[in-house]
Amino acid sequence: MNDIERLLNDLKKVDSKIRKQATQSLWMRWYQECGEAAERRLYEGIRLMDAGELARARFHFADLVEQFPEFTEAHNKLATVHYLEGNYEEAIAECRIVVEKAPHHFGAWNGMGMCLFHLGRLNEAIHSFQKALEIQPYAEDNRHYIGLCRGKLN
């Protein structure tokens, strides 16, 4: 079993400390997957996003994705900016790139679910939240949104 598989298995453990450590380790790996320079640029984009400079953050992440097309976390952060701007279709497109490259990226599955929920595509949203739950079974926000979707469908 490789390290990623071990971390993914740890996400399913009852012990919340083990799950938290595995979650942090996976995020760290995603941030570092294209090297130090790409990671520094990722953090700069996050700073812009956190400061509410969404247009600049979007441009920054789009440039990062162009420069490092295999950097799944850059795609994920670009999806986040699109989501924050209400550009749900664009966010979904980026999330699909992420889960195609990293099917275990629970953040992208959750993000895609959120976009689909806002678009009223509830069955698709349920599917995305369920995929996130398969990876991270103790993530209650996914269960919450599945319940909201099912409530709206009934």
Side-chain angles (χ1 to χ4, degrees):
M1 176 183 319
N2 70 34
D3 200 38
I4 296 291
E5 289 171 339
R6 182 187 58 75
L7 292 170
L8 291 170
N9 283 333
D10 284 352
L11 293 176
K12 295 173 173 66
K13 301 256 169 104
V14 174
D15 187 329
S16 64
K17 289 180 185 176
I18 292 173
R19 291 194 315 265
K20 183 177 180 181
Q21 179 60 42
T23 300
Q24 291 171 341
S25 293
L26 285 165
W27 280 112
M28 188 183 321
R29 288 175 190 281
W30 293 330
Y31 276 45
Q32 297 171 348
E33 77 179 332
C34 283
E36 200 173 300
E39 183 183 9
R40 273 195 308 276
R41 293 214 35 225
L42 186 75
Y43 278 112
E44 175 60 22
I46 292 168
R47 187 195 64 72
L48 291 168
M49 193 168 47
D50 289 347
E53 297 183 48
L54 297 181
R56 286 184 64 203
R58 180 178 13 86
F59 178 79
H60 182 85
F61 289 127
D63 185 59
L64 189 56
V65 161
E66 188 173 312
Q67 191 172 16
F68 298 93
E70 295 303 313
F71 195 2
T72 55
E73 197 52 37
H75 286 280
N76 192 51
K77 293 300 185 247
L78 181 55
T80 301
V81 172
H82 283 309
Y83 172 81
L84 293 171
E85 292 180 318
N87 299 323
Y88 302 125
E89 293 291 351
E90 291 88 343
I92 291 167
E94 291 299 323
C95 287
R96 287 181 198 224
I97 292 168
V98 175
V99 299
E100 198 173 285
K101 295 174 185 295
H104 57 275
H105 199 300
F106 51 82
W109 283 113
N110 173 270
M112 189 170 3
M114 295 298 296
C115 293
L116 292 162
F117 176 80
H118 285 291
L119 291 170
R121 293 163 51 187
L122 302 176
N123 285 318
E124 292 173 83
I126 289 170
H127 173 77
S128 291
F129 291 127
Q130 286 174 331
K131 293 295 280 183
L133 267 177
E134 287 173 15
I135 302 161
Q136 218 181 13
Y138 290 92
E140 289 302 317
D141 58 329
N142 292 307
R143 289 185 202 289
H144 172 75
Y145 275 97
I146 289 170
L148 287 176
C149 290
R150 288 185 175 147
K152 288 182 177 229
L153 286 169
N154 290 330

